[in-house]
Amino acid sequence: MNDDLSDLYQEVILDHSKCPRNFQRLACANRVAEGKNPLCGDQVTVFLKVEDEVIRDISFQGSGCAISKASASMMTAQLKGKTRKEARAMFSAYHDLVTSGTTPTEDVGKLAAFAGVHKFPARVKCAILPWHAVMAALDDKKAPVSTE
Ligand code: ZN
């Protein structure tokens, strides 16, 4: 691996792509949304249980590249227990991070591992796809989201 690729495939990202957390269908979900990234072939379905504006539980299923899988996995770990408002703020910070590589003002925790993604424009959509799906789920949108 050269330096640039090791920026992209941080150890924590490789770990989450090989062993995704919350990778299952959530039987008690009351919000479900689907996302597709036709350019890469990533597909993700997110399952949320939202109560009193709080994400009580969250999981995902799907197939795709290492970046989309790791992003979905780490996202579910970060968003569990967050309010809808906190989830939006985190998405906005994460979006800035993967598109510009700038350190966000918001605490994004382990998501900071995705800072190298901005050097690989084709991978940005992979990294953001699961978040788009979650935002659609929080808005209760029925149509699948696409990055195109
Ligand atoms: Zn991808």
Side-chain angles (χ1 to χ4, degrees), residues 37 39-42 64-69 122-123 125-127 129:
N37 175 13
L39 273 189
C40 180
D42 307 314
C65 65
I67 295 296
S68 69
K69 244 189 204 165
R123 290 278 164 263
K125 285 175 178 171
C126 306
L129 176 70

Side-chain angles (χ1 to χ4, degrees), residues 20-51:
R21 321 297 197 269
N22 307 303
F23 189 70
Q24 61 195 357
R25 176 175 283 274
L26 196 64
C28 60
N30 56 6
R31 304 286 174 90
V32 178
E34 209 185 312
K36 283 191 171 86
N37 175 13
L39 273 189
C40 180
D42 307 314
Q43 287 193 330
V44 65
T45 305
V46 294
F47 304 88
L48 284 78
K49 181 165 176 59
V50 182
E51 269 175 357

Side-chain angles (χ1 to χ4, degrees), residues 17 33 73 121 133 145:
S17 71
S73 173
V145 293

Side-chain angles (χ1 to χ4, degrees):
M1 250 186 213
N2 65 33
D3 281 351
D4 272 343
L5 275 177
S6 62
D7 275 359
L8 179 61
Y9 296 109
Q10 300 268 323
E11 207 162 303
V12 61
I13 292 181
L14 290 175
D15 175 52
H16 275 264
S17 71
K18 280 184 204 142
C19 178
R21 321 297 197 269
N22 307 303
F23 189 70
Q24 61 195 357
R25 176 175 283 274
L26 196 64
C28 60
N30 56 6
R31 304 286 174 90
V32 178
E34 209 185 312
K36 283 191 171 86
N37 175 13
L39 273 189
C40 180
D42 307 314
Q43 287 193 330
V44 65
T45 305
V46 294
F47 304 88
L48 284 78
K49 181 165 176 59
V50 182
E51 269 175 357
D52 306 325
E53 297 289 297
V54 176
I55 301 170
R56 301 281 180 204
D57 212 347
I58 176 168
S59 70
F60 79 104
Q61 282 198 313
S63 59
C65 65
I67 295 296
S68 69
K69 244 189 204 165
S71 172
S73 173
M74 286 168 75
M75 173 188 76
T76 57
Q78 292 286 327
L79 289 184
K80 204 168 185 171
K82 294 279 191 299
T83 65
R84 198 207 277 257
K85 205 176 154 196
E86 285 166 342
R88 277 186 203 292
M90 191 165 272
F91 171 53
S92 151
Y94 175 75
H95 189 277
D96 287 353
L97 178 79
V98 297
T99 52
S100 69
T102 50
T103 314
T105 46
E106 192 85 11
D107 178 23
V108 293
K110 285 184 180 172
L111 299 177
F114 287 93
V117 171
H118 81 281
K119 295 181 197 162
F120 303 86
R123 290 278 164 263
V124 169
K125 285 175 178 171
C126 306
I128 287 178
L129 176 70
W131 287 83
H132 275 311
V134 162
M135 292 304 131
L138 286 175
D139 290 340
D140 221 359
K141 284 187 186 145
K142 301 290 181 218
V145 293
S146 174
T147 53
E148 294 308 302

